[in-house]
Amino acid sequence: MVINFQLVNKIITALKSLKKYYLYIILWTLLVSTLMYLLFPSGISIELYSFLIIIYLTGLFYFFGKMRRNELDEIQSIISSIRLNKIKSKDSIKLNRNLKILEDEIYAMYVKMQDDINYLKKLEKMRTQFLANVSHELRTPIFKVQGYIETLLDGAINDEKVNLNFLNKAKNSTIYLGNLLNDLIDISMIESGEMKMSFRYFNLNEYILSIINHFKDTTVKRKIDIVYNPCREDLKVYGDKERLNVVFSNLIQNAIKYTDVGQIELIVEEFDNGVNITIKDTGIGISSIDLNRIFERFYRTELARSRLVSGTGLGLAIVKHIVEAHNSKIIVNSRVGEGSEFSFTLRK
Ligand SMILES: Nc1ncnc2c1ncn2[C@@H]1O[C@H](COP(=O)(O)OP(=O)(O)OP(=O)(O)O)[C@@H](O)[C@H]1O
Ligand SMILES: [Mg+2]
């Protein structure tokens, strides 16, 4: 004989789900049979017997129907409480013991819904904050350009002592605006997942030397040295050269911007299958509280703001995304007044 285990299992599960009702069924059966026995001790006709069976079954169906209705009411009441936001804790989601699995599922659904709502609220807040920040950052340079042009038009254009100066200042503001827009485009492309990466092997030493060369004028002007101990000449690393240029430039620019005296050091350390790159400075440093936030968009420390060096606080947010697109992580160590070091790894 072939035993259909699936069917047996189904029957057992169905019987188990009725467990709670067995007592009622037994009590009802006992009641009806006792009544029958007491009322008709000498036996009954087949018609009366059928009639009593019908009464018995009707009672049983009524009982099951009522139980089912109660359960549906309970479920409906919990669902409307969720819909009306009346649930305050897990205890508010209580169904009878028979519906424990359903209770757990409803609770899991409720938690997931709350998480989704909170996430959407957070996104909405970030979006508003982002818009406010962008408008704020755009307003200052635009007003500056407007101011210089108006002053020039009001007569300063003929004043040899200030006209070139004002034009240069207006030009600097437009350069700042251009950089800000580029950063914003980068950020939005990165965050919408549109940033196309183009990975290939390239010579690290040549690459770093050309970047350092690019900053030569600035470092000479600021009287800060960039120290770099060339790495193995034939060392090749794997990455997107153009995007990494943004990373190196932002980190070196920051090191220059936030350092008054001392030096900036670029360190390349080889390990088994990659290299660790560190950009270290002897600048103003970052407090431990700020360290957790500097990679947020538009975040600038009080120390940086008070230095009057321009910046939007987008640089490190972009750096972080690009480094992560290289399967790496940007690590920062810093102490106020002593300096900072930012490092990340690349595959070789
Ligand atoms: N090397 C550093 N030394 C000290 N503080 C730093 C350094 N690098 C970053 N910071 C702090 O982190 C903040 C965020 O840096 P981030 O590069 O994102 O912005 P920024 O340099 O102010 O502006 P920009 O968008 O032009 O790069 C800076 O404003 C500064 O407060
Ligand atoms: Mg920066």
Side-chain angles (χ1 to χ4, degrees), residues 86-131:
K86 284 190 189 157
I87 302 286
K88 296 281 171 267
S89 66
K90 185 173 183 345
D91 292 340
S92 320
I93 302 178
K94 271 270 165 281
L95 289 174
N96 77 47
R97 238 178 347 123
N98 214 25
L99 300 171
K100 182 83 183 91
I101 299 176
L102 190 62
E103 180 187 302
D104 292 345
E105 276 299 314
I106 292 181
Y107 180 67
M109 185 191 78
Y110 166 74
V111 171
K112 162 95 175 43
M113 218 174 76
Q114 290 299 316
D115 286 351
D116 288 351
I117 293 172
N118 287 340
Y119 179 65
L120 287 177
K121 278 188 189 158
K122 200 174 136 201
L123 279 187
E124 177 56 24
K125 199 170 154 208
M126 275 167 68
R127 195 184 66 91
T128 331
Q129 242 168 23
F130 185 70
L131 262 179

Side-chain angles (χ1 to χ4, degrees), residues 41-275:
S42 53
I44 50 171
S45 66
I46 184 84
E47 289 83 6
L48 194 56
Y49 186 73
S50 315
F51 176 70
L52 286 173
I53 290 282
I54 291 173
I55 299 266
Y56 168 75
L57 287 177
T58 312
L60 215 54
F61 287 144
Y62 168 77
F63 167 74
F64 278 125
K66 186 153 173 43
M67 284 301 185
R68 195 169 153 260
R69 188 64 254 163
N70 285 351
E71 286 172 358
L72 287 177
D73 284 349
E74 271 185 74
I75 297 169
Q76 192 187 17
S77 134
I78 284 188
I79 290 176
S80 24
S81 304
I82 293 178
R83 182 168 50 83
L84 299 172
N85 240 340
K86 284 190 189 157
I87 302 286
K88 296 281 171 267
S89 66
K90 185 173 183 345
D91 292 340
S92 320
I93 302 178
K94 271 270 165 281
L95 289 174
N96 77 47
R97 238 178 347 123
N98 214 25
L99 300 171
K100 182 83 183 91
I101 299 176
L102 190 62
E103 180 187 302
D104 292 345
E105 276 299 314
I106 292 181
Y107 180 67
M109 185 191 78
Y110 166 74
V111 171
K112 162 95 175 43
M113 218 174 76
Q114 290 299 316
D115 286 351
D116 288 351
I117 293 172
N118 287 340
Y119 179 65
L120 287 177
K121 278 188 189 158
K122 200 174 136 201
L123 279 187
E124 177 56 24
K125 199 170 154 208
M126 275 167 68
R127 195 184 66 91
T128 331
Q129 242 168 23
F130 185 70
L131 262 179
N133 283 329
V134 171
S135 330
H136 175 80
E137 293 297 335
L138 286 173
R139 197 174 48 188
T140 319
I142 288 176
F143 280 2
K144 275 190 187 167
V145 175
Q146 236 174 9
Y148 292 130
I149 292 177
E150 273 168 15
T151 320
L152 285 167
L153 286 175
D154 284 348
I157 190 104
N158 298 318
D159 185 343
E160 301 270 305
K161 278 186 242 149
V162 292
N163 55 8
L164 272 184
N165 186 17
F166 281 6
L167 278 174
N168 266 323
K169 282 187 169 160
K171 188 184 110 188
N172 287 341
S173 290
T174 59
I175 292 174
Y176 174 83
L177 266 177
N179 290 339
L180 172 62
L181 286 180
N182 282 337
D183 282 354
L184 284 172
I185 291 168
D186 279 354
I187 278 273
S188 74
M189 272 186 32
I190 289 167
E191 291 186 356
S192 62
E194 280 172 51
M195 186 178 64
K196 300 265 177 304
M197 304 290 289
S198 157
F199 292 98
R200 55 184 59 124
Y201 280 98
F202 60 90
N203 183 295
L204 185 62
N205 200 39
E206 284 170 14
Y207 185 71
I208 291 183
L209 285 172
S210 83
I211 292 176
I212 292 178
N213 199 32
H214 181 79
F215 283 99
K216 219 171 198 151
D217 289 350
T218 326
T219 45
V220 169
K221 223 188 279 173
R222 297 280 321 272
K223 297 198 177 76
I224 294 169
D225 287 331
I226 296 197
V227 179
Y228 168 58
N229 194 3
C231 61
R232 185 155 58 82
E233 261 193 27
D234 56 349
L235 177 59
K236 290 206 159 133
V237 289
Y238 190 68
D240 183 322
K241 261 175 106 168
E242 287 208 9
R243 305 285 175 204
L244 285 173
N245 195 5
V246 175
V247 173
F248 277 94
S249 301
N250 261 304
L251 294 177
I252 296 175
Q253 230 164 38
N254 280 351
I256 298 173
K257 264 202 301 199
Y258 305 114
T259 301
D260 293 320
V261 280
Q263 62 178 38
I264 290 154
E265 202 178 343
L266 253 135
I267 306 159
V268 176
E269 291 156 310
E270 263 187 85
F271 58 91
D272 275 357
N273 47 6
V275 289

Side-chain angles (χ1 to χ4, degrees), residues 288-344:
S288 53
I289 302 167
D290 286 324
L291 276 182
N292 297 321
R293 303 204 52 193
I294 52 171
F295 294 99
E296 285 174 24
R297 297 178 303 197
F298 294 108
Y299 189 80
R300 302 192 72 212
T301 65
E302 278 309 316
L303 271 178
R305 285 176 195 277
S306 61
R307 284 173 68 81
L308 297 177
V309 283
S310 72
T312 53
L314 286 175
L316 285 181
I318 297 172
V319 165
K320 180 172 180 268
H321 279 298
I322 298 178
V323 168
E324 283 172 3
H326 283 77
N327 281 330
S328 178
K329 201 170 176 277
I330 181 123
I331 313 268
V332 49
N333 280 307
S334 185
R335 262 170 189 275
V336 174
E338 290 181 19
S340 317
E341 56 178 79
F342 290 79
S343 50
F344 59 95

